[in-house]
Amino acid sequence: MLRLLTIEFYKLKHSRSSKVLSIAYFVILSFIALIASIEFNLGDFQIRIADQGIFNFPFIWHFNTWVAATLKFFLAIVIVSMISNEYSNRTLKQNLIDGLSKKEFMLSKFYTVIAFAALSTLFIFVMTLILGYSFSDYTEFSIVTREMEFLLAYFFKLVGFFSFCLFLGVLVKRSAFALGFLFVWWIFENISYGILRWQINAETADAIVQFFPLEAMKNLINLPFQRLNFIETAANQLQADIQIDYAVHWYEVGIVSVWIFLFIYGAYRLLMKRDL
């Protein structure tokens, strides 16, 4: 595994675009700390984001992983480009000539996906601890470690999304087309959900689309903003019911895990059938 990872990181090291996008991704993640300084007016109320509990344990695990997950497209471009460059630069054929099997080639890409997801998860873990201990009103160990399952959800969400990008990169061979297909698929899932909700009902539509790949990844970390203090206060005053299940469920992780296997296996089968 180490040998295969070394080969991939050597290629990425000499790819200027990959280095720029990777650095930009982690730099932008660091900007989550700047959210503490955001202030705005909502009617007669002055809202300061830092006072809404977003950096309080355990909520910060949910908030930071959700925000970080929205920025995953930076690394997705790296993953897709990593595959398309193999075809355009003919390094795939050269690697096979040098003795690398197609199985090892695909494993090297999957190990890179795992490495990117693990590094990003570790980065979020460290940054969340720093922000939490700096701003949280609660620093007891039992509270700090509560809801850390969002880190696991974040890791699987990245691995699933990057595996999808890897599959598309192998399928169409061109990064622009792969990213375009990804966007089209996102539209397809949303249109399908709308049709199902219109023709049947919302509950059945939710039950069906939870098995779609992008929706399954999305369900791992739900939108956290309804948990903010001023949203809960406003809901209580208006007597509105905004009860949402924010928990990370094992079956959601299981659905994404199945998609990860299908994407990687599908990419491998495509590679095996092609005459390079």
Side-chain angles (χ1 to χ4, degrees), residues 233-250:
T233 300
N236 291 333
Q237 291 178 348
L238 296 172
Q239 296 183 342
D241 184 13
I242 56 171
Q243 295 297 322
I244 299 176
D245 183 9
Y246 298 103
V248 178
H249 299 285
W250 66 267

Side-chain angles (χ1 to χ4, degrees), residues 45-100:
F45 299 96
Q46 185 176 20
I47 307 298
R48 184 170 180 266
I49 296 297
D51 296 334
Q52 303 310 310
I54 66 170
F55 293 139
N56 279 345
F57 288 116
F59 173 71
I60 189 172
W61 297 112
H62 185 183
F63 179 79
N64 280 4
T65 51
W66 183 86
V67 172
T70 62
L71 303 172
K72 61 185 179 292
F73 293 99
F74 283 91
L75 290 183
I77 297 174
V78 175
I79 299 297
V80 171
S81 300
M82 180 175 68
I83 294 296
S84 63
N85 289 340
E86 296 284 358
Y87 289 101
S88 59
N89 298 332
R90 298 185 179 277
T91 51
L92 170 56
K93 188 173 183 178
Q94 185 60 49
N95 285 336
L96 297 178
I97 293 174
D98 292 339
L100 196 70

